[in-house]
């Protein structure tokens, strides 16, 4: 059975996919059978045959140089760049939580480490019609521990601390923080990191600079983050 970690963020376009790619890549380069999974993915383009391509999954696959088929990476793919619940209302094919968990369990039997990524922030609704499904429902049902990705810049203290507080209140285990768009020596960002650690009670696991191709964390420590 695989060891897993769920990557959430303080909001959308915060760099979750890039960080997930770094995680997958580092484990793959260390000789591990590394995989990626995302329950639902919105804002995707079609290929020449009209088939929707899960863009985040393709990025991670190419960036990490892994052999995992795209078809395994995301069971629900939508074209509209909306929250999955709204995209499904417009396009059809709403998320079935049991199916999402089942597909994930299938991967657990095949890979050593699975990096899972959420859609948007942790409060993202996956389905809202005759049934309500939220991202946290998947995290809990799959029994996943999480890391939070946050931007290192202005405004991150409020966003990070609120996200961490919500997840703890809802009984979700958070292993730490990874900051994205980090500028070494920047006074504001260095203070943000200190304040986020203090106010959230979480440790910063790594800081990612723009264009980084490797995650600045010891491989053995990285393995320990996965459960």
């Amino acid at each position: 059975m695989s060891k897993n970690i769920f990557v959430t963020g303080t909001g959308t376009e915060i760099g979750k996919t890039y960080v997930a790619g770094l995680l997958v890549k580092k484990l793959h380069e260390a000789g591990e059978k590394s995989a990626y999974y995302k329950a639902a993915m919105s804002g995707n383009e079609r290929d020449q045959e009209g088939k929707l391509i899960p863009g985040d999954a393709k990025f991670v696959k190419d960036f990490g140089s892994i052999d995992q088929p795209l078809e395994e990476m995301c069971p629900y793919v939508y074209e509209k760049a909306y929250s999955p619940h709204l995209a499904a209302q417009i396009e059809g094919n709403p998320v079935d939580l049991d199916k999402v968990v089942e597909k994930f369990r299938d991967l657990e039997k095949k890979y050593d480490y699975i990096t899972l990524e959420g859609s948007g922030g942790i409060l993202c609704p996956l389905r809202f019609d005759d049934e309500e499904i939220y991202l946290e429902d998947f995290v809990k049902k799959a029994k996943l521990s999480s890391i939070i990705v946050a931007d290192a810049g202005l405004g991150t203290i409020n966003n990070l601390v609120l996200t961490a507080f919500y997840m703890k209140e809802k009984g979700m285990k958070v292993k730490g923080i990874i900051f994205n768009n980090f500028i070494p020596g920047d006074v504001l960002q260095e203070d943000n990191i200190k304040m986020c650690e203090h106010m959230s009670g979480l440790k910063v696991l790594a800081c990612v600079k723009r264009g980084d191709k490797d995650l600045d964390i010891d491989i053995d420590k990285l393995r320990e983050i996965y459960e």
Side-chain angles (χ1 to χ4, degrees):
M1 295 291 287
S2 65
K3 292 187 175 182
N4 317 303
I5 198 71
F6 182 81
V7 179
T8 190
T10 54
T12 192
E13 300 299 326
I14 210 73
K16 297 187 307 299
T17 304
Y18 190 73
V19 170
L22 288 170
L23 291 164
V24 168
K25 181 174 183 284
K26 193 170 188 80
L27 288 164
H28 173 69
E29 291 177 346
E32 305 291 358
K33 201 168 183 183
S34 181
Y36 170 87
Y37 189 73
K38 187 168 183 174
M41 199 177 302
S42 305
N44 299 287
E45 297 181 355
R46 297 183 181 274
D47 61 17
Q48 293 181 343
E49 298 176 354
K51 181 181 178 181
L52 279 171
I53 302 299
D56 291 349
K58 188 176 188 310
F59 169 82
V60 173
K61 177 179 172 65
D62 295 343
F63 187 76
S65 299
I66 57 174
D67 296 330
Q68 183 187 8
L70 277 178
E71 292 75 20
E72 287 184 353
M73 293 181 165
C74 183
Y76 291 95
V77 184
Y78 304 108
E79 186 170 14
K80 298 289 186 183
Y82 302 153
S83 175
H85 80 283
L86 180 58
Q89 288 176 15
I90 295 169
E91 300 175 29
N93 193 28
V95 170
D96 181 308
L97 185 57
D98 288 336
K99 177 181 176 180
V100 170
V101 174
E102 179 185 348
K103 295 293 184 183
F104 165 57
R105 296 299 181 208
D106 289 342
L107 294 185
E108 283 191 297
K109 302 169 189 174
K110 299 173 60 176
Y111 296 95
D112 299 323
Y113 291 86
I114 302 175
T115 303
L116 301 97
E117 182 190 350
S119 305
I122 194 61
L123 280 163
C124 180
L126 296 178
R127 179 171 179 171
F128 193 82
D129 43 34
D130 58 324
E131 185 177 354
E132 293 183 29
I133 301 173
Y134 298 90
L135 198 51
E136 67 180 82
D137 295 323
F138 169 59
V139 173
K140 291 176 180 178
K141 189 161 186 175
K143 299 179 180 178
L144 300 169
S145 293
S146 303
I147 57 175
I148 302 173
V149 176
D151 188 89
L154 188 65
T156 199
I157 296 173
N158 184 74
N159 295 341
L160 183 281
V161 175
L162 284 175
T163 298
F165 178 79
Y166 178 86
M167 293 181 74
K168 289 179 181 180
E169 285 291 299
K170 291 291 187 174
M172 289 177 273
K173 184 177 181 180
V174 182
K175 303 295 290 289
I177 311 160
I178 294 181
F179 279 103
N180 192 30
N181 300 318
F182 176 63
I183 303 172
D186 185 285
V187 175
L188 171 68
Q189 294 194 3
E190 297 284 0
D191 185 70
N192 281 344
I193 290 170
K194 179 184 73 175
M195 294 304 295
C196 284
E197 280 195 319
H198 174 73
M199 294 175 69
S200 70
L202 298 172
K203 292 294 184 183
V204 174
L205 304 171
C207 292
V208 176
K209 302 184 297 296
R210 290 183 184 274
D212 273 356
K213 297 296 187 291
D214 182 55
L215 192 65
D216 186 20
I217 184 172
D218 179 79
I219 186 61
D220 289 329
K221 289 184 178 179
L222 178 59
R223 289 187 179 103
E224 290 174 3
I225 294 169
Y226 286 70
E227 293 186 344

